[in-house]
Amino acid sequence: MDSSDTFDRKTLSQTSLTPLTAFRLRKPEAKDGQAIQSLVKSTGVLDANAEYAYVLLGAHFAGTCVLAEDDNGLTGFVSAYRLPDNPDVLFVWQIAVGERARRKGLGLAMVRDLLSRPNLKDITMVHATIASSNAASIGLFRTLADFLQAPFETQPFFPADYFSKGHEAEPLITIGPFDNNL
Ligand SMILES: CC(C)(COP(=O)(O)OP(=O)(O)OC[C@H]1O[C@@H](n2cnc3c(N)ncnc32)[C@H](O)[C@@H]1OP(=O)(O)O)[C@@H](O)C(=O)NCCC(=O)NCCS
């Protein structure tokens, strides 16, 4: 079963968000790096990484990353990886959904798509850092915790002074432990 099959079956059967049929989910490839960086920049909220970093994600971390396309091109991306010292934890690094695709369930569907992959069945926790002003992202992860029926907790992690002036602190949010039945 490929990633897009999983997306159609789970998302459309478990929610009423029919516009999601417009999106196709797949693993990124190295050649997607440039388009991914453009999408991340277009959010105006995320720290865009170097193009090369997104090329590397497609080359080496495709198993824990997902992108979404519609007929107009790339419109969603999630980068994530297993914590090197605690591989049961999926750390979600960045989630970006293009303006035209927001509030249709795509952000949540991409994370669910990752968790439903055979190579991630043993994941029992999701971690991410989210600035406290980012209501959309906090809402997304709270919805994910509800969906997984898992505890959602926040704790201090990266203080603002780790970053250049103007950057907010990045508290750690943790979801889990959960049984990954997706
Ligand atoms: C955060 C982001 C990825 C959400 O993507 P999305 O596809 O619009 O989110 P979804 O439609 O899957 O929403 C899932 C849940 O998240 C919450 N949510 C999403 N957008 C929200 C918003 N603007 N305000 C409050 N809650 C929001 C809701 O609880 C929503 O469930 P509901 O629609 O049933 O109420 C998107 O807004 C985005 O790309 N923002 C800019 C980049 C960013 O901040 N990324 C996250 C930091 S890494």
Side-chain angles (χ1 to χ4, degrees):
M1 180 187 300
D2 70 20
S3 183
S4 52
D5 288 340
T6 304
F7 173 73
D8 285 341
R9 178 172 54 77
K10 295 208 176 284
T11 305
L12 298 180
S13 64
Q14 292 172 13
T15 78
S16 57
L17 296 165
T18 46
L20 279 171
T21 50
F23 304 113
R24 298 173 295 278
L25 270 58
R26 66 171 171 85
K27 293 177 183 174
E29 298 175 49
K31 67 183 180 190
D32 297 310
Q34 198 179 338
I36 292 170
Q37 193 209 40
S38 295
L39 174 71
V40 170
K41 279 184 177 169
S42 76
T43 66
V45 178
L46 297 174
D47 291 335
N49 299 299
E51 236 173 42
Y52 188 78
Y54 295 109
V55 170
L56 276 185
L57 285 173
H60 296 159
F61 292 89
T64 52
C65 298
V66 58
L67 61 74
E69 295 167 309
D70 64 12
D71 291 344
N72 295 310
L74 181 66
T75 190
F77 176 68
V78 178
S79 54
Y81 56 88
R82 289 177 185 267
L83 290 188
D85 294 331
N86 192 357
D88 294 346
V89 176
L90 185 70
F91 183 84
V92 177
W93 182 5
Q94 289 189 313
I95 303 188
V97 170
E99 286 280 358
R100 69 177 182 273
R102 291 201 186 151
R103 295 313 289 263
K104 297 177 190 294
L106 181 57
L108 185 62
M110 289 192 292
V111 180
R112 287 174 51 186
D113 182 81
L114 283 180
L115 290 173
S116 74
R117 290 182 182 173
N119 61 308
L120 295 177
K121 277 288 166 211
D122 57 332
I123 292 294
T124 59
M125 299 274 297
V126 169
H127 287 188
T129 72
I130 312 176
S132 52
S133 65
N134 194 335
S137 187
I138 293 168
L140 188 157
F141 282 97
R142 280 196 180 280
T143 304
L144 177 68
D146 288 348
F147 181 78
L148 293 167
Q149 298 183 300
F152 175 102
E153 289 174 11
T154 306
Q155 57 193 271
F157 195 49
F158 298 144
D161 64 9
Y162 280 15
F163 304 101
S164 306
K165 202 161 186 270
H167 196 296
E168 287 179 73
E170 294 271 350
L172 180 69
I173 67 108
T174 65
I175 296 174
F178 54 82
D179 289 327
N180 185 2
N181 296 320
L182 291 183

